[in-house]
Amino acid sequence: MTRLDAVIKDIKDVNLMGNAWIYDDDGNIKDNVICGNVLPWLEELKDYEIDVDDEFINYILENSDNRWNTYNWNANIDHEIDGAEMDIDGYHYIALMVHRYGDVRWNYTDRFVVRFDDAYDFNALESRMQYKEIAERYMCDIDIFCGWYNVWDCENQCDVGEFYGIEADDLLADIGNCK
């Protein structure tokens, strides 16, 4: 089992623990909750994971010129992500870990490392953008690294705007107040 496989298993287990109201009994994000799901993104990262030791991970952490946490961006995602990025010998490396639950200052998974040709490839992962239909009319475009989501009205074929609410009922009320 790779480091990333262990992280995915851990997050799936955490989703079943009942620590967060956003999950149903099967550990899936409820239909009335509007937020990105970290699991598809982690699954897509499998193609980029490299096998490294703790020494290499610590090297990235100690020398990274770009450290970040999605919590600081108010990212609309079910589990925060912590990253440390670094370019080495023409490749872009990122040491990542995922917040499990509770206080965001601790309780993370183990770190794993992914390698890309450049930072643009990392930011272009397809699973970064996720979509959720609400009330059989609206489509929410969720960027898991962003604090808001954009809503499209499929019936009227128009952009409704950017929203922050995590519950579908709140979104529908906000859309009603915009008209």
Side-chain angles (χ1 to χ4, degrees), residues 132-167:
K132 185 145 197 170
E133 184 178 351
I134 302 296
E136 298 180 4
R137 176 176 176 177
Y138 300 104
M139 185 61 65
C140 302
D141 300 342
I142 304 165
D143 179 342
I144 65 171
F145 288 96
C146 189
W148 64 89
Y149 52 90
N150 197 65
V151 177
W152 179 259
D153 182 337
C154 298
E155 186 176 297
N156 294 316
Q157 295 295 301
C158 64
D159 182 49
V160 179
E162 295 174 349
F163 295 86
Y164 296 85
I166 193 169
E167 294 186 60

Side-chain angles (χ1 to χ4, degrees), residues 1-13:
M1 178 179 288
T2 69
R3 288 175 185 256
L4 180 50
D5 286 330
V7 167
I8 291 169
K9 181 184 179 325
D10 186 20
I11 294 301
K12 286 179 178 179
D13 291 345

Side-chain angles (χ1 to χ4, degrees), residues 5-168:
D5 286 330
V7 167
I8 291 169
K9 181 184 179 325
D10 186 20
I11 294 301
K12 286 179 178 179
D13 291 345
V14 165
N15 291 356
L16 289 168
M17 292 172 56
N19 291 323
W21 65 271
I22 67 171
Y23 300 107
D24 63 20
D25 292 339
D26 295 324
N28 299 311
I29 296 173
K30 293 178 181 177
D31 290 340
N32 66 336
V33 174
I34 307 168
C35 75
N37 185 339
V38 75
L39 288 170
W41 184 77
L42 292 172
E43 290 288 344
E44 188 174 3
L45 284 177
K46 284 181 173 184
D47 292 337
Y48 303 95
E49 183 183 21
I50 59 171
D51 185 22
V52 297
D53 58 21
D54 290 339
E55 185 177 331
F56 187 77
I57 292 172
N58 288 332
Y59 179 80
I60 293 174
L61 296 175
E62 292 167 6
N63 296 288
S64 172
D65 57 354
N66 187 18
R67 298 282 305 260
W68 50 267
N69 191 303
T70 56
Y71 173 81
N72 296 323
W73 305 331
N74 284 332
N76 188 13
I77 191 169
D78 61 340
H79 292 274
E80 302 298 345
I81 305 163
D82 184 88
E85 301 184 39
M86 186 173 184
D87 291 327
I88 305 170
D89 295 331
Y91 290 101
H92 190 72
Y93 293 86
I94 311 168
L96 296 160
M97 63 182 177
V98 180
H99 185 250
R100 299 178 71 241
Y101 62 89
D103 191 320
V104 76
R105 293 173 291 183
W106 51 76
N107 199 14
Y108 283 80
T109 63
D110 290 334
R111 285 198 186 266
F112 61 95
V113 175
V114 292
R115 181 180 76 186
F116 293 87
D117 289 335
D118 54 48
Y120 299 105
D121 289 343
F122 171 70
N123 289 311
L125 291 172
E126 288 184 21
S127 57
R128 174 180 176 154
M129 289 301 300
Q130 299 179 14
Y131 307 93
K132 185 145 197 170
E133 184 178 351
I134 302 296
E136 298 180 4
R137 176 176 176 177
Y138 300 104
M139 185 61 65
C140 302
D141 300 342
I142 304 165
D143 179 342
I144 65 171
F145 288 96
C146 189
W148 64 89
Y149 52 90
N150 197 65
V151 177
W152 179 259
D153 182 337
C154 298
E155 186 176 297
N156 294 316
Q157 295 295 301
C158 64
D159 182 49
V160 179
E162 295 174 349
F163 295 86
Y164 296 85
I166 193 169
E167 294 186 60

